[in-house]
Amino acid sequence: MNNNNRGALAERLSGIDEIECVTPDLNGVPRGKVMTAEGFLSGRRLQLARGVLLQCIMGGYPPSSYYGSDDGDLALVADPAQVHRLPWSDSPRALAICDAQELDGQPSGLSTRTLLRQVIAAYAERGLAPVVATELEFFVFAAHTDPQQPFLPPKGLDGRREFGGSAFSVSSHNGLRPFFEDVYRCMAALGLPRDTFMHEMGVSQFEINLVHGDPLLIADQTFLFKHLLKEVGLRHGLMVVCMAKPLAGMPGSSMHIHQSVVEQGSGRNIFNDQAGNPTPAFRHFIGGLQALLADFTLLFAPHVNSYQRLCHPYASPNNACWSHDNRGAGLRIPHSPPAARRVENRLPGADANPYLALAASLAAGLHGIDKALEPSPPLQGEFQVPDELTLPCAMHTAIERLKKSQQARELFGSEFINGYIATKSLELSSFLDEITPWERRVLATQA
């Protein structure tokens, strides 16, 4: 960090005593340490065990051979553009999003933020820059302490709980207006611009669209927003849930990714020709996604619960078909003027790591451009998904598909793919170690 950056940061952090220095692990969970402002501003090196980046969602780690047998350290290096005062903290406190680097200064191959940086750099080598936006869906529930019981929406102003049928409602009868006003206040304080907000199809389910921009910035904003939601929810006695499928019989929560590619310098959208018609690059980008979505499903649907959403699709298509303005296709081309032509990837869930999901989607599209891959014909209306465009519908199948993917190793490195598979295999094994209420209720008396 140069002196100018340090001086600007010192001014921004005036009165701050502690800074949460965090980096996303493979699941997109903030991991790190709390550092004094004095140590942070002095440039003191902050180190973190390498294995933390592969920590399982329920705790625990794969064998140390996946992150270095010595379980040595990484350095957390703060991004000066992502140091923020925390607007929800009662005492002055800050958060810094950090890159994870090896102690020799090289980027860590286990860092999903690094993987996204590398994909963006691959575009830059070709004179291109991807532009993305994310749509994040989430549920707001009453405080919940018993995992044996289903989630419940909070009581509304009339003392009743929402029961459904409120999609696109702008009413404040659910009593959540103070919560959302606090969310908007905190977003403004963190510099998170918002485009649109809506009540989604599920009970007490909502969606926010973040403004399009540079993929690393959008990943950081999505990462911060998910963290913000949970922290603000706690202040209001609420539980904000970004699981892919928290309620049976209800829609799941997605993290749709809108993607376009522009020329560096001119800013021209390469998906259009001068007459505003689709270009070969547009088709090839779709062709790359179709070629790799099945291999990469585990990167977009990282948990057992992710497949509850994909296998019971409410506008959550588990396919690699593409279509013009059809929500039944995994790859949707929204209606737009030519300058805004883009490809919407509808596969990722709200539970996906935004850095990894963006890296995987953009890498697949660039693969298609490089290899001039042609997509299948677009499908409209109600359609039958061809077998070759059907994606894995269970976590163990997705693990096996990723394990066999040579393209995944070429694009993200064997170190990351092997470690990711090892962690996900442990998470699946942990889930299978438990007996569910359905099994006790149905099988105990019938099997």
Side-chain angles (χ1 to χ4, degrees):
M1 192 184 304
N2 60 41
N3 289 332
N4 288 338
N5 284 338
R6 191 168 287 118
L9 274 178
E11 184 175 347
R12 194 188 320 168
L13 297 175
S14 175
I16 295 288
D17 182 51
E18 291 186 328
I19 300 172
E20 301 170 6
C21 299
V22 301
T23 197
D25 70 2
L26 86 166
N27 284 310
V29 176
R31 306 286 186 189
K33 296 182 178 180
V34 178
M35 193 177 198
T36 65
E38 178 186 6
F40 182 83
L41 292 170
S42 71
R44 189 180 307 151
R45 188 162 75 178
L46 185 63
Q47 296 179 196
L48 185 74
R50 293 183 93 247
V52 170
L53 295 187
L54 294 183
Q55 185 172 168
C56 295
I57 198 71
M58 70 286 180
Y61 303 87
S64 61
S65 57
Y66 288 102
Y67 46 87
S69 295
D70 294 333
D71 191 14
D73 280 349
L74 294 166
L76 295 184
V77 180
D79 183 336
Q82 293 296 342
V83 180
H84 306 277
R85 298 178 74 102
L86 293 179
W88 56 77
S89 178
D90 291 329
S91 58
R93 196 173 178 91
L95 178 145
I97 298 178
C98 301
D99 282 308
Q101 297 180 357
E102 303 294 345
L103 298 185
D104 63 4
Q106 293 300 308
S108 169
L110 295 178
S111 165
T112 55
R113 200 169 192 262
T114 291
L115 295 182
L116 180 55
R117 281 189 183 277
Q118 290 172 347
V119 172
I120 296 169
Y123 276 86
E125 290 170 2
R126 295 155 176 80
L128 303 172
V131 179
V132 304
T134 56
E135 300 176 0
L136 189 75
E137 297 170 347
F138 56 93
F139 284 82
V140 181
F141 294 128
H144 188 272
T145 59
D146 185 357
Q148 298 296 324
Q149 300 301 317
F151 296 111
L152 292 173
K155 288 184 178 180
L157 298 179
D158 58 2
R160 303 172 67 183
R161 301 185 193 274
E162 184 181 305
F163 67 89
S166 296
F168 298 93
S169 169
V170 295
S171 170
S172 60
H173 78 277
N174 57 25
L176 293 176
R177 186 65 58 83
F179 163 73
F180 281 110
E181 287 176 351
D182 208 2
V183 167
Y184 299 155
R185 176 187 68 82
C186 291
M187 288 183 71
L190 291 177
L192 303 183
R194 56 188 170 92
D195 186 8
T196 59
F197 165 80
M198 57 176 280
H199 191 304
E200 258 293 352
M201 294 186 292
V203 172
S204 200
Q205 184 189 31
F206 302 88
E207 175 187 286
I208 194 160
N209 297 346
L210 299 177
V211 178
H212 66 273
D214 169 78
L216 186 64
L217 174 63
I218 299 304
D220 284 338
Q221 290 180 347
T222 308
F223 175 71
L224 276 174
F225 180 67
K226 290 176 73 173
H227 186 51
L228 175 159
L229 281 175
K230 293 180 181 295
E231 293 289 336
V232 174
L234 291 174
R235 290 174 59 88
H236 289 260
L238 300 167
M239 185 174 188
V240 181
V241 173
C242 291
M243 286 171 62
K245 185 80 166 182
L247 293 177
M250 285 286 166
S253 289
S254 306
M255 186 182 67
H256 298 155
I257 299 173
H258 292 253
Q259 309 154 99
S260 58
V261 181
V262 300
E263 285 181 342
Q264 288 187 335
S266 72
R268 181 186 70 86
N269 186 341
I270 71 167
F271 291 168
N272 304 307
D273 62 19
Q274 291 184 339
N277 298 313
T279 59
F282 172 70
R283 298 196 313 272
H284 298 156
F285 189 94
I286 296 171
L289 284 162
Q290 287 191 317
L292 294 181
L293 278 185
D295 282 9
F296 292 177
T297 296
L298 190 66
L299 308 179
F300 301 122
H303 304 297
V304 173
N305 181 256
S306 308
Y307 299 86
Q308 294 276 22
R309 166 180 166 263
L310 292 180
C311 295
H312 301 90
Y314 289 79
S316 301
N318 188 23
N319 64 66
C321 301
W322 77 283
S323 182
H324 293 280
D325 203 21
N326 185 336
R327 287 177 170 81
L331 301 171
R332 171 177 173 256
I333 312 304
H335 181 72
S336 68
R341 194 184 306 279
R342 61 196 185 274
V343 179
E344 179 187 7
N345 181 353
R346 297 174 63 79
L347 180 61
D351 56 345
N353 176 338
Y355 300 92
L356 187 54
L358 284 170
S361 198
L362 292 172
L366 186 60
H367 172 73
I369 292 174
D370 285 347
K371 302 297 184 183
L373 300 180
E374 290 292 340
S376 65
L379 299 175
Q380 298 300 139
E382 291 191 23
F383 56 83
Q384 189 72 30
V385 178
D387 288 344
E388 65 273 15
L389 296 179
T390 299
L391 305 179
C393 203
M395 189 172 178
H396 70 274
T397 308
I399 289 174
E400 290 304 310
R401 188 68 187 251
L402 183 63
K403 189 182 297 184
K404 296 174 182 176
S405 174
Q406 187 58 36
Q407 286 299 329
R409 296 178 187 281
E410 290 180 7
L411 291 170
F412 304 121
S414 289
E415 179 188 28
F416 176 78
I417 294 300
N418 289 340
Y420 188 81
I421 290 170
T423 296
K424 291 297 153 187
S425 297
L426 280 179
E427 291 175 357
L428 177 59
S429 178
S430 176
F431 173 79
L432 293 175
D433 279 344
E434 296 200 12
I435 306 303
T436 66
W438 185 94
E439 292 167 279
R440 290 192 291 271
R441 185 176 69 252
V442 176
L443 299 181
T445 59
Q446 300 293 330

